[in-house]
Amino acid sequence: MTDVALDKTDPAGSLPSTEKEPDDIIEENNQENPPATAAEGEGAAGGLYRYIKGDLFTSEIFKVEIQNLPKYIGFNDLKKFLNKHGVNPHKIKLFSKQMFAFVTFKNQEERDKAMKAVHGMQWKSKVLSVRLAKPKADPILKKRKQEEEAEGGQPGAKRAAGSQEGEEEEEGPLNIQIANAVTPLWNVPYEEQLKRKEKEVEGVLQKLTREIGNNNKAMLPWLFLQKEKYNKLCCPLEAIRPSPVQTEYRNKCEFVIGVGADGEDKTVGFRLGKYKGGSCAVVSPAETSHVSSEAKRVVQGFQQFIRTTPYAVYSPETYEGHWRQLTVRTSRIKQTMAIVFFNPQKLQEEEIEELKRNLRQYFTEGEGQESAITSLYFVRMGQRTSAGTEDLPCEHVTGEEWIHEELLGLKFRISPHSFFQTNTPAAEVLYSAVGEWAQLDQDSTVLDVCCGTGTIGISLAKRVKKVIGIELCQEAVEDAKANAEANGLTNVEFHCGKAEDVFPTVLNAVVSPNVTAIVDPPRAGLHSKVILAIRRAEHLKRLIYVACNAKAAMNNFTDLCRAVSNRVRGAPFRPVRAMAVDLFPQTMHCETILLFEREPCAHGKQEGAFNQKLTNLNIKLNDSALQFFSRCPKKPPRVKQTSCHI
């Protein structure tokens, strides 16, 4: 992960990271050697493991292998198990079929603590064992070594000719390759794209239906009726809402700077593949369909500038070089922000200040004027020396400090690190749907969790008594406060901090007859502490979950609905409506909205309706049948003269 705050929506407009992610360097084979042995064996200076040397951070040097795991456990099961026993992993890679996992940590102390805690522990009748694991070889160097070995075993001319022909046939022109990489549905008719995305969301609801049946037996009568009404789903899935625009829709793009796939040095664009796939080649975004013409103009101007400088592009392989990344943000009112990421290496402060002056002059008085940049920032992005992911300081170079956007008739200011939905017209569709589903009135209090610049809460503020927003990014909170003031709102307040730290306190302090929470978290979903706080707050009756990755949020959905236990207090929620909104045309990504409502305390009416329905079907469902159905939710039992789908 780079040290810059990345967009939490789809990756199509985001560059593959120029820093080796811990995910990118996790061993995929069962290795026994500790890191020291690996480095010695390959030669630390130029071998496959040289990245673990020096003071650069990689959790690969603090990696262990956990063996003899129980069958049928998932990633979340393992993570919960480790957290329960005081173990805080940095990254986990689970191989469920082989019943082992690789786990990395932020430092040696946490790794050693985990080894002592987990080794010999029993989990579901399995005794776990832990040992040190070898780091993964550098993907680029590994691929290069494999190519050299393959080349050595085949006549050079014959192999080269055959290889070139195969590559051309398989990969095609660069503009097609990059389109396939960042907009894989570019050649699929839009109606078909929508059908595929709706099918994906339907699959998520099918899984949620099974999870509810497995984790809350008391909901089985309700679930039976829901599945009969909604085609085996736990709630109705409404028709997907399309994006008003299908091309040039992204208002934020992150471009990597590297050697072009065509051999041109200092190319600004998107990578053809990921570093862990052994690729660093960069292709210009000039012919991509989702990047705006304004952003393309900035990329072209910036590329011309860096090619006139003596500074090389940063190499994730050797850690040398300077130019790393360009982020471009645009708005519908024709404002453009450019953020330049530069590794200072050992340059003197005078050289860096001179470079910033040259940037300012180029974009305000020189050829770069055509880029029409209204806000320019410079970020010193050195090597990571710890596991921290805080936003790097942005040095304002020229122009305004912010750009501004209009959404649903409201004005919003946006800072360099602040989150704002990347497709503004489609965001209006999304937020309008949220407003429709929230069932708000003048007595309502809205809790806007992971609020970014306050867009959702501010768009609803005039319809409710109070809006309370929670956001991790300090810049975004400052923007949200300024946005509320700019729109003349006095019933809005914002709190900065981790949702799991701030939300429970804020929620307990709310006194309102009608409290609705709206959560729009990053891809990984909400922290379990937030979900548990929501469950405990019985006065919170309605929750709207906006998920940019519904599959990753499944654990959140399940915890909202699972039965009461020692860990999970408070009546469970039920999913009552679901819908997809397409914010990312030409990709497989979309936003999913789920409306959850608190389950009534009394189950009498529900069970009565359920039993009446069974009577009409000439079926008598007793406790034994309920138990039987819960064991086989995917394949409903067949009954004489009729079928009963659970």
Side-chain angles (χ1 to χ4, degrees), residues 310-417:
Y311 305 114
V313 298
Y314 175 80
S315 169
E317 178 186 339
T318 65
Y319 303 110
E320 298 171 348
H322 300 276
W323 298 112
R324 298 197 61 165
Q325 175 179 313
L326 172 71
T327 296
V328 181
R329 307 190 76 152
T330 58
S331 70
R332 294 190 290 187
I333 60 174
K334 302 304 177 184
Q335 293 185 352
T336 301
M337 177 185 288
I339 311 164
V340 176
F341 295 85
F342 185 85
N343 190 325
Q345 300 289 8
K346 296 181 180 180
L347 292 180
Q348 298 297 315
E349 184 64 27
E350 292 77 12
E351 294 180 84
I352 296 175
E353 289 301 321
E354 178 65 21
L355 176 60
K356 289 164 61 177
R357 284 193 293 271
N358 291 339
L359 270 169
R360 182 187 304 113
Q361 191 277 333
Y362 176 81
F363 283 110
T364 58
E365 303 172 18
E367 296 180 15
Q369 286 185 86
E370 296 181 2
S371 302
I373 291 175
T374 59
S375 177
L376 178 62
Y377 280 91
F378 185 87
V379 178
R380 305 182 195 215
M381 188 178 184
Q383 304 299 149
R384 284 200 304 166
T385 57
S386 69
T389 58
E390 294 81 8
D391 294 336
L392 295 173
C394 291
E395 301 173 36
H396 185 236
V397 177
T398 189
E400 299 291 329
E401 292 186 40
W402 312 278
I403 59 170
H404 297 81
E405 183 60 287
E406 292 182 354
L407 183 146
L408 295 174
L410 300 166
K411 297 178 181 178
F412 296 90
R413 92 175 192 192
I414 305 168
S415 294
H417 288 311

Side-chain angles (χ1 to χ4, degrees), residues 52-72:
I52 69 173
K53 288 296 183 180
D55 58 353
L56 309 182
F57 173 76
T58 170
S59 61
E60 279 294 290
I61 58 179
F62 309 117
K63 184 166 78 172
V64 301
E65 178 184 345
I66 303 178
Q67 299 176 318
N68 202 34
L69 291 168
K71 288 184 178 180
Y72 312 121

Side-chain angles (χ1 to χ4, degrees), residues 140-348:
I140 291 287
L141 299 179
K142 183 177 179 180
K143 182 179 181 181
R144 188 174 300 156
K145 183 178 179 181
Q146 290 172 342
E147 289 174 348
E148 289 172 356
E149 290 174 351
E151 209 168 288
Q154 191 174 355
K158 181 178 179 181
R159 181 183 178 278
S163 174
Q164 185 176 0
E165 180 182 347
E167 285 179 7
E168 288 180 358
E169 181 180 346
E170 180 180 343
E171 297 178 348
L174 288 177
N175 64 324
I176 300 298
Q177 291 184 49
I178 198 62
N180 290 335
V182 298
T183 51
L185 301 184
W186 65 275
N187 60 348
V188 177
Y190 190 55
E191 288 301 319
E192 176 61 25
Q193 292 184 34
L194 295 177
K195 289 179 182 178
R196 293 187 187 183
K197 296 181 184 188
E198 196 166 58
K199 195 71 176 175
E200 283 287 312
V201 176
E202 183 179 344
V204 170
L205 290 182
Q206 288 172 345
K207 183 175 181 181
L208 177 57
T209 304
R210 294 194 296 270
E211 292 295 326
I212 293 173
N214 292 335
N215 291 280
N216 195 335
K217 298 297 188 285
M219 276 198 191
L220 281 174
W222 170 83
L223 198 60
F224 173 86
L225 297 175
Q226 293 292 100
K227 292 185 70 174
E228 185 175 339
K229 284 193 290 186
Y230 302 119
N231 192 27
K232 301 182 181 179
L233 299 180
C234 56
C235 67
L237 175 59
E238 300 183 11
I240 185 172
R241 297 195 184 181
S243 171
V245 292
Q246 287 87 53
T247 59
E248 297 193 16
Y249 59 83
R250 289 197 67 93
N251 58 38
K252 178 184 178 184
C253 288
E254 295 168 332
F255 303 100
V256 70
I257 306 169
V259 178
D262 56 2
E264 285 284 346
D265 192 16
K266 299 181 183 178
T267 298
V268 183
F270 298 120
R271 278 215 191 120
L272 280 176
K274 295 182 178 180
Y275 189 94
K276 65 182 177 182
S279 173
C280 276
V282 178
V283 177
S284 166
E287 297 186 54
T288 54
S289 60
H290 65 321
V291 179
S292 68
S293 57
E294 293 85 357
K296 291 175 182 177
R297 189 164 59 238
V298 174
V299 167
Q300 183 62 29
F302 179 70
Q303 183 173 274
Q304 290 177 2
F305 172 79
I306 65 174
R307 286 179 175 176
T308 66
T309 69
Y311 305 114
V313 298
Y314 175 80
S315 169
E317 178 186 339
T318 65
Y319 303 110
E320 298 171 348
H322 300 276
W323 298 112
R324 298 197 61 165
Q325 175 179 313
L326 172 71
T327 296
V328 181
R329 307 190 76 152
T330 58
S331 70
R332 294 190 290 187
I333 60 174
K334 302 304 177 184
Q335 293 185 352
T336 301
M337 177 185 288
I339 311 164
V340 176
F341 295 85
F342 185 85
N343 190 325
Q345 300 289 8
K346 296 181 180 180
L347 292 180
Q348 298 297 315

